[in-house]
Amino acid sequence: MKQKLLQLLKEAAGGKNIHMEHLEDRIFDEGSRGFKTAMDYVHGLSHGMTGKGGKEFFVTTKYDGAPAVVFGRHPETGMFFVATKGAFNKTPKVNYSLEDVEANYPDSPELQAKLKAALEHLPKLGEMKGVYQGDLMFTPEDLELRKIGDKEHVTFRPNTITYSSPMGSDEAKKIMGSRLGIVVHTGYEGDTLENMKARFDPDLSHFGGHPDVYFKNARMNDEGEETHMSERDHMRTLEHLGHAMSHLPDSGDLMDEVSRNPDYVAHLKTYTNYNVRNGIPKGSAKGFHDYLDNRFQGERAKLKSQKGIQKHTEASQPVLKHIKDNAEAYNSLFNAHSALAKAKLHLVDRFRQAKGLGTHLEDEETGELRPTHPEGYVAVQKKSGTGYKMVDREDFSKANFTLPKKWDKKKPGQQQETVSESIIHKLRRINNRGY
C-alpha cells in the first residue's frame, strides 16, 4: 500500500518543480541509469567550462526565497493568476483577485500579504506568455538596514539565508525602490495546469523591467569567469568521476535493486540527511544498518499492541538482513555516492566565484551575520530542460535542517542521456593509472 501511495505521489508531481533532487541521489532513484545521468551532468558541465566542449548544460543559482510563487497566464482561462505550489494540486488553488487570496488562505495573513503583493506587482513585468515559478525574496516590510563590517547594507531574510547589498550601490537602490523582489527559475509548458511540464530554461526575454519589481533571472552568465575551468581543474573532475566509476562493478546491481523499491529509496535518503545533520561525511553499510535499527526500535516503542509490534518486526527485519547480507555492495554504493558528491563540489567551488548579493547566516543567539555561500546551484540539460540540485550539503543543507526559518512554519502546500563514449574512455584511463 505504501509503495502504491509513493508511486501515485510521484505521478501526481509529474514534471512540476515541487521538489528537486540532489544530483548524486540519482543513484538511489534510478540505479545505474541514475549513476550515468549524474556522471553525464558533471562531466558535461566541466568539459563545457573548459571552452573545448559543447555547451550542453548550464547552471542556475538557487536562491533561498519563500514562498515559492507560481504566476502567469492561466493556460485555460488566459487570465493572470498567482499561486503557491498549490497551483498543481488535484484541485488547483489559483488566485485571480485579492478576494481569492483571502478565501484560499484564511488562516495565513502573512502568506496573504505576499500573494497580494505578487498579484499587484508581477503583471508590471510585461506581457506574460506562459506560466512561471520563482522564489519571492522580499516585500518592503522585510528590508532592514544593518551594518556589516564598517558599511551599512540593506538586508532581507526570506528563509534561512540573509541577503545584503551595500548602501549606495545600484543594487541597493533598486531593492529599496521596489515593492517586491523575486527570482524566476522555472517555466512551464502545457495546455492545462495538470499536464504542465517544468523547464529550467524559461524564456524571460520578453520580461520588461519595472522599478516596483526587483527581478532576477536565476541563470548564471555562460560567459562569466565563474563558468570557465582550466584543463587541470577539469582533470580533477575526471579523477573524482573515475573514483565513482571504480565502485560501479560492485554496486551497480544493488543500485538497480534498491531503486525499484520506494521503501529502500526513502531509507537511503533519510539516512543521507541524517548524516548531513550530524556531520558524518560518508555513509557506510554499518552506519546505515545501525541508523535503521535504532529508528525501527524507536517506532516499535511507540506501538501499544503486541500484534502491531510483531507486524513491524516482521516488516523491518528483512531490511536489516538485506543490508548485512550485502554489506560490501552497500559500502561501494556509498563510496560511489561520495565520489559523485566530491565531483559536484569541485564544480560548486567554481560557481561560488560569481559576484552577486551578499549571503549570510544569522547567529540565532547574537544576531551577528557571518558570511556564507549561496544556497546552491541547479545543473540543467539544455535539450531536456531537466535540472538537478548541486548543493554543498555539509554547508547549506545542514543549516537548512537546523536553523529556525524566518518564513511562516506552515509552508504552503525523459528520457535521460547516456554517458558519452569519450568520458568512459577518459575515466578508464584514469583508473588504469591507479587512482
Side-chain angles (χ1 to χ4, degrees), residues 14-28:
K16 317 302 189 297
N17 182 11
I18 294 174
H19 174 73
M20 187 179 295
E21 295 291 344
H22 292 276
L23 182 59
E24 64 270 29
D25 285 358
R26 299 316 297 158
I27 68 175
F28 301 151

Side-chain angles (χ1 to χ4, degrees), residues 250-305:
D250 294 328
S251 63
D253 289 343
L254 178 66
M255 287 181 194
D256 291 332
E257 181 183 353
V258 298
S259 70
R260 292 190 290 267
N261 188 318
D263 287 334
Y264 279 78
V265 172
H267 292 328
L268 285 163
K269 289 184 178 181
T270 56
Y271 171 58
T272 300
N273 289 337
Y274 168 84
N275 286 345
V276 170
R277 288 187 184 97
N278 291 279
I280 301 170
K282 184 172 68 173
S284 67
K286 184 179 185 305
F288 188 35
H289 178 278
D290 292 349
Y291 162 78
L292 285 180
D293 192 20
N294 289 333
R295 180 175 146 188
F296 291 154
Q297 288 183 42
E299 290 171 354
R300 283 195 292 273
K302 297 176 183 177
L303 300 175
K304 296 181 179 179
S305 72

